[in-house]
Amino acid sequence: MKENLETEIIKGEGWTFNTQVGTLSNDTSELILEPRLARLFHNLLLMQGEIAKKEKLFTQVWPDTMVNEESLHRAISDLRRKLAEWPGSVFSIETIPRVGYRLLQPAPKAQPFLTKLLKAGLYLFLAILALVILIRAAQY
C-alpha cells in the first residue's frame, strides 16, 4: 500500500482511495463514501491489518463530538454494507469483541521465490534439451 500525503491518495493492489473526497475506486467502478464512513475507512486502512481500537476510532472519526459505541457499531455496519455492494470489493471488516475492528484485504499476489526458481530451471532444462537435439540432428 502506497500513500501520497500531498494529494491524499492511498493506492493498493487494484484500488485507489482518495481521502479528500472519500472515493474508493478500481478499474471498473467508484464508491463514494460519506465523510463519516470515509474517515472510518481511512483509519482502518492506515492500521494495515492491525486492530483499530474502539477508543482510537472514536477520537479519529468523530473529533470534537461525544459518541457512544452504538454510533461506532452503526458506522461499521454502514461501511460493511457499502463495501459489500461495491463491485470487485476486496475488503471486509473483522470485529474483535470488546477491543475494536480490523480491515481485511487479500495479500498481494506474488509468486514465491521457489516457484519462480523452479519455473526458470524448467525453461533452462528445455532449452538445453532442444540444443542437444539440434546438435545430434546436425551430426547425422
Short mmCIF file of all heavy atoms in Angstrom, two decimals, residues 59-86:
data_model
loop_
_atom_site.label_atom_id
_atom_site.label_comp_id
_atom_site.label_asym_id
_atom_site.label_seq_id
_atom_site.Cartn_x
_atom_site.Cartn_y
_atom_site.Cartn_z
N THR A 59 -12.06 8.93 18.64
CA THR A 59 -11.38 10.23 18.55
C THR A 59 -11.00 10.60 17.12
O THR A 59 -10.96 11.78 16.77
CB THR A 59 -10.12 10.27 19.44
OG1 THR A 59 -9.21 9.26 19.02
CG2 THR A 59 -10.47 10.08 20.90
N GLN A 60 -10.72 9.60 16.28
CA GLN A 60 -10.30 9.89 14.91
C GLN A 60 -11.49 10.14 13.97
O GLN A 60 -11.40 10.98 13.09
CB GLN A 60 -9.47 8.72 14.36
CG GLN A 60 -8.17 8.48 15.10
CD GLN A 60 -7.18 9.61 14.89
OE1 GLN A 60 -7.04 10.12 13.80
NE2 GLN A 60 -6.51 10.00 15.95
N VAL A 61 -12.55 9.40 14.15
CA VAL A 61 -13.69 9.50 13.24
C VAL A 61 -14.64 10.62 13.66
O VAL A 61 -15.20 11.32 12.82
CB VAL A 61 -14.45 8.15 13.15
CG1 VAL A 61 -15.68 8.26 12.26
CG2 VAL A 61 -13.51 7.07 12.64
N TRP A 62 -14.78 10.83 14.96
CA TRP A 62 -15.68 11.86 15.47
C TRP A 62 -14.91 12.83 16.37
O TRP A 62 -15.16 12.90 17.58
CB TRP A 62 -16.82 11.23 16.27
CG TRP A 62 -17.77 10.42 15.46
CD1 TRP A 62 -18.84 10.87 14.75
CD2 TRP A 62 -17.75 9.00 15.29
NE1 TRP A 62 -19.48 9.84 14.15
CE2 TRP A 62 -18.84 8.67 14.46
CE3 TRP A 62 -16.93 7.98 15.75
CZ2 TRP A 62 -19.12 7.36 14.07
CZ3 TRP A 62 -17.21 6.68 15.36
CH2 TRP A 62 -18.29 6.38 14.55
N PRO A 63 -13.98 13.60 15.81
CA PRO A 63 -13.26 14.56 16.66
C PRO A 63 -14.24 15.65 17.14
O PRO A 63 -15.16 16.02 16.43
CB PRO A 63 -12.20 15.14 15.72
CG PRO A 63 -12.75 14.95 14.35
CD PRO A 63 -13.59 13.70 14.42
N ASP A 64 -14.04 16.07 18.34
CA ASP A 64 -14.87 17.14 18.92
C ASP A 64 -16.34 16.76 19.11
O ASP A 64 -17.19 17.63 19.23
CB ASP A 64 -14.80 18.43 18.06
CG ASP A 64 -13.36 18.86 17.82
OD1 ASP A 64 -12.54 18.77 18.75
OD2 ASP A 64 -13.06 19.28 16.68
N THR A 65 -16.63 15.46 19.11
CA THR A 65 -18.01 15.01 19.28
C THR A 65 -18.03 13.83 20.23
O THR A 65 -17.21 12.92 20.12
CB THR A 65 -18.63 14.57 17.93
OG1 THR A 65 -18.51 15.62 16.99
CG2 THR A 65 -20.08 14.21 18.10
N MET A 66 -18.96 13.86 21.19
CA MET A 66 -19.13 12.73 22.09
C MET A 66 -20.07 11.72 21.42
O MET A 66 -21.19 12.07 21.05
CB MET A 66 -19.74 13.18 23.42
CG MET A 66 -18.76 13.90 24.33
SD MET A 66 -17.45 12.81 24.90
CE MET A 66 -18.35 11.69 25.94
N VAL A 67 -19.58 10.50 21.25
CA VAL A 67 -20.40 9.44 20.66
C VAL A 67 -20.32 8.20 21.55
O VAL A 67 -19.40 8.05 22.34
CB VAL A 67 -19.96 9.08 19.23
CG1 VAL A 67 -20.22 10.23 18.27
CG2 VAL A 67 -18.51 8.68 19.19
N ASN A 68 -21.28 7.32 21.38
CA ASN A 68 -21.26 6.08 22.14
C ASN A 68 -20.93 4.92 21.20
O ASN A 68 -20.77 5.10 20.00
CB ASN A 68 -22.60 5.87 22.86
CG ASN A 68 -23.76 5.82 21.89
OD1 ASN A 68 -23.59 5.56 20.70
ND2 ASN A 68 -24.95 6.08 22.41
N GLU A 69 -20.85 3.72 21.77
CA GLU A 69 -20.50 2.55 20.96
C GLU A 69 -21.52 2.26 19.88
O GLU A 69 -21.17 1.73 18.83
CB GLU A 69 -20.30 1.32 21.86
CG GLU A 69 -19.00 1.37 22.61
CD GLU A 69 -18.56 0.01 23.13
OE1 GLU A 69 -18.87 -1.01 22.49
OE2 GLU A 69 -17.90 -0.01 24.16
N GLU A 70 -22.76 2.61 20.12
CA GLU A 70 -23.80 2.39 19.11
C GLU A 70 -23.49 3.16 17.83
O GLU A 70 -23.71 2.65 16.73
CB GLU A 70 -25.18 2.78 19.66
CG GLU A 70 -26.31 2.54 18.69
CD GLU A 70 -26.42 1.11 18.18
OE1 GLU A 70 -26.13 0.17 18.94
OE2 GLU A 70 -26.78 0.93 17.00
N SER A 71 -22.95 4.37 17.96
CA SER A 71 -22.57 5.16 16.78
C SER A 71 -21.48 4.45 15.98
O SER A 71 -21.53 4.41 14.75
CB SER A 71 -22.07 6.54 17.20
OG SER A 71 -23.06 7.24 17.88
N LEU A 72 -20.52 3.87 16.69
CA LEU A 72 -19.44 3.15 16.02
C LEU A 72 -19.97 1.88 15.36
O LEU A 72 -19.65 1.58 14.20
CB LEU A 72 -18.31 2.82 17.00
CG LEU A 72 -17.13 2.03 16.43
CD1 LEU A 72 -16.48 2.77 15.25
CD2 LEU A 72 -16.09 1.77 17.52
N HIS A 73 -20.82 1.13 16.07
CA HIS A 73 -21.40 -0.09 15.51
C HIS A 73 -22.20 0.22 14.24
O HIS A 73 -22.11 -0.50 13.24
CB HIS A 73 -22.31 -0.79 16.52
CG HIS A 73 -21.59 -1.36 17.70
ND1 HIS A 73 -20.53 -2.22 17.59
CD2 HIS A 73 -21.79 -1.18 19.03
CE1 HIS A 73 -20.10 -2.55 18.81
NE2 HIS A 73 -20.84 -1.92 19.69
N ARG A 74 -22.96 1.31 14.28
CA ARG A 74 -23.79 1.71 13.14
C ARG A 74 -22.89 2.09 11.95
O ARG A 74 -23.14 1.70 10.81
CB ARG A 74 -24.69 2.88 13.53
CG ARG A 74 -25.47 3.45 12.38
CD ARG A 74 -26.21 2.39 11.69
NE ARG A 74 -27.62 2.66 11.79
CZ ARG A 74 -28.51 1.90 11.22
NH1 ARG A 74 -28.13 0.83 10.57
NH2 ARG A 74 -29.76 2.17 11.32
N ALA A 75 -21.81 2.83 12.22
CA ALA A 75 -20.89 3.24 11.15
C ALA A 75 -20.19 2.03 10.54
O ALA A 75 -20.06 1.94 9.31
CB ALA A 75 -19.87 4.24 11.69
N ILE A 76 -19.76 1.08 11.37
CA ILE A 76 -19.13 -0.14 10.87
C ILE A 76 -20.11 -0.92 10.00
O ILE A 76 -19.78 -1.39 8.91
CB ILE A 76 -18.59 -1.02 12.03
CG1 ILE A 76 -17.40 -0.35 12.72
CG2 ILE A 76 -18.26 -2.42 11.56
CD1 ILE A 76 -16.11 -0.36 11.91
N SER A 77 -21.34 -1.03 10.46
CA SER A 77 -22.37 -1.74 9.71
C SER A 77 -22.62 -1.06 8.36
O SER A 77 -22.71 -1.73 7.33
CB SER A 77 -23.67 -1.78 10.53
OG SER A 77 -24.70 -2.37 9.80
N ASP A 78 -22.72 0.26 8.37
CA ASP A 78 -22.93 1.00 7.12
C ASP A 78 -21.75 0.83 6.17
O ASP A 78 -21.93 0.65 4.96
CB ASP A 78 -23.14 2.49 7.40
CG ASP A 78 -24.45 2.78 8.11
OD1 ASP A 78 -25.32 1.88 8.17
OD2 ASP A 78 -24.60 3.91 8.63
N LEU A 79 -20.53 0.87 6.71
CA LEU A 79 -19.34 0.70 5.88
C LEU A 79 -19.27 -0.71 5.30
O LEU A 79 -18.96 -0.89 4.12
CB LEU A 79 -18.07 1.03 6.68
CG LEU A 79 -16.75 0.96 5.92
CD1 LEU A 79 -16.76 1.87 4.70
CD2 LEU A 79 -15.60 1.32 6.85
N ARG A 80 -19.57 -1.70 6.12
CA ARG A 80 -19.60 -3.09 5.63
C ARG A 80 -20.58 -3.23 4.46
O ARG A 80 -20.29 -3.87 3.46
CB ARG A 80 -20.00 -4.05 6.74
CG ARG A 80 -18.89 -4.39 7.69
CD ARG A 80 -19.39 -5.35 8.76
NE ARG A 80 -18.29 -5.82 9.57
CZ ARG A 80 -18.36 -6.01 10.88
NH1 ARG A 80 -19.50 -5.79 11.53
NH2 ARG A 80 -17.31 -6.45 11.55
N ARG A 81 -21.76 -2.65 4.62
CA ARG A 81 -22.78 -2.74 3.58
C ARG A 81 -22.30 -2.07 2.30
O ARG A 81 -22.42 -2.63 1.20
CB ARG A 81 -24.08 -2.10 4.06
CG ARG A 81 -25.23 -2.25 3.09
CD ARG A 81 -26.55 -1.67 3.61
NE ARG A 81 -26.46 -0.50 4.45
CZ ARG A 81 -26.22 0.74 4.01
NH1 ARG A 81 -26.05 0.97 2.73
NH2 ARG A 81 -26.17 1.76 4.86
N LYS A 82 -21.72 -0.88 2.42
CA LYS A 82 -21.21 -0.16 1.24
C LYS A 82 -20.12 -0.95 0.54
O LYS A 82 -20.10 -1.05 -0.69
CB LYS A 82 -20.66 1.22 1.64
CG LYS A 82 -21.70 2.22 2.00
CD LYS A 82 -22.34 2.74 0.75
CE LYS A 82 -22.59 4.22 0.87
NZ LYS A 82 -23.17 4.75 -0.35
N LEU A 83 -19.19 -1.50 1.32
CA LEU A 83 -18.09 -2.27 0.72
C LEU A 83 -18.61 -3.54 0.04
O LEU A 83 -18.11 -3.93 -1.01
CB LEU A 83 -17.05 -2.63 1.78
CG LEU A 83 -16.22 -1.46 2.33
CD1 LEU A 83 -15.35 -1.92 3.49
CD2 LEU A 83 -15.38 -0.81 1.24
N ALA A 84 -19.62 -4.17 0.63
CA ALA A 84 -20.18 -5.39 0.05
C ALA A 84 -20.92 -5.10 -1.26
O ALA A 84 -20.93 -5.92 -2.17
CB ALA A 84 -21.13 -6.06 1.04
N GLU A 85 -21.51 -3.92 -1.38
CA GLU A 85 -22.25 -3.54 -2.58
C GLU A 85 -21.32 -3.08 -3.71
O GLU A 85 -21.74 -3.04 -4.86
CB GLU A 85 -23.23 -2.41 -2.26
CG GLU A 85 -24.37 -2.84 -1.36
CD GLU A 85 -25.21 -1.66 -0.87
OE1 GLU A 85 -24.89 -0.50 -1.19
OE2 GLU A 85 -26.18 -1.91 -0.15
N TRP A 86 -20.10 -2.72 -3.37
CA TRP A 86 -19.16 -2.18 -4.37
C TRP A 86 -18.63 -3.31 -5.24
O TRP A 86 -18.05 -4.26 -4.73
CB TRP A 86 -18.02 -1.45 -3.65
CG TRP A 86 -17.03 -0.77 -4.53
CD1 TRP A 86 -17.32 0.05 -5.59
CD2 TRP A 86 -15.62 -0.85 -4.44
NE1 TRP A 86 -16.15 0.50 -6.15
CE2 TRP A 86 -15.09 -0.03 -5.46
CE3 TRP A 86 -14.74 -1.51 -3.60
CZ2 TRP A 86 -13.73 0.12 -5.66
CZ3 TRP A 86 -13.38 -1.34 -3.80
CH2 TRP A 86 -12.89 -0.53 -4.81
#
